[in-house]
Amino acid sequence: MRGLVVAAVVGLTGCGSVAPRRASETAWRAGAASAAGEPDPPPTARGSAVVEFASEQVGRRYCWGGTGPYCFDCSGLVQRAWGSVGVHLPRTAGAMSSALDEVPLDHVRPGDVLWWPGHVGIYAGRGWMVDAEDTRHGVVLRRPTREPHRALRPPLEPR
């Protein structure tokens, strides 16, 4: 299913490794609500378009600093996906963390940005995300193997 894409976690050095943090079945929507069959909060029209754009990139290769169209790094994919709907985001995962509004992990909705130190992905719904994982995997749809540290919501209207 192309609309459901999941990102892996990445560490302090960028999209490729993450400090260990086990997924909490009670704190994050992917474990608790979605696994119980509860629906995600409805996406906005922009959130749906962001997920669609990101899903269309699945299979493209990973490249450090990549913003597409042929290859992406994690923040380049998120920036480009949100840019496709007219929302400008900062270039790096750290800058996104500082600039975007945080939402509780159990209120994440499709299109939101899942954040780990040095890595970001786009929540696609039902516990899945799309992200540019690493040079081995490229852009993928998957369930995160670790609970995100934060969920971020870009503005609904362009700034």
Side-chain angles (χ1 to χ4, degrees):
M1 190 179 301
R2 267 197 104 98
L4 298 181
V5 180
V6 181
V9 291
V10 180
L12 298 172
T13 59
C15 305
S17 63
V18 170
R21 183 170 180 176
R22 296 186 54 124
S24 167
E25 290 293 323
T26 58
W28 189 52
R29 184 150 218 43
S34 291
E38 295 178 27
D40 288 309
T44 63
R46 285 196 172 168
S48 292
V50 165
V51 171
E52 183 176 341
F53 178 92
S55 296
E56 290 170 355
Q57 309 316 306
V58 169
R60 297 205 190 265
R61 65 185 183 86
Y62 174 95
C63 62
W64 187 84
T67 59
Y70 304 109
C71 66
F72 294 91
D73 69 7
C74 64
S75 55
L77 176 64
V78 171
Q79 183 187 47
R80 184 80 178 258
W82 274 96
S84 75
V85 296
V87 178
H88 176 75
L89 297 183
R91 177 61 187 95
T92 66
M96 287 178 194
S97 174
S98 297
L100 302 179
D101 294 331
E102 186 168 359
V103 295
L105 288 172
D106 61 349
H107 289 87
V108 68
R109 65 183 180 209
D112 286 347
V113 178
L114 301 179
W115 183 90
W116 294 262
H119 188 73
V120 287
I122 296 169
Y123 184 65
R126 300 190 56 82
W128 292 85
M129 71 181 237
V130 177
D131 74 318
E133 183 177 359
D134 57 26
T135 55
R136 180 175 176 213
H137 298 95
V139 178
V140 294
L141 167 66
R142 64 187 174 140
R143 288 187 183 268
T145 57
R146 291 175 179 80
E147 179 181 328
H149 287 238
R150 301 174 67 196
L152 308 170
R153 185 162 295 154
L156 295 178
E157 297 299 322
R159 289 184 178 169

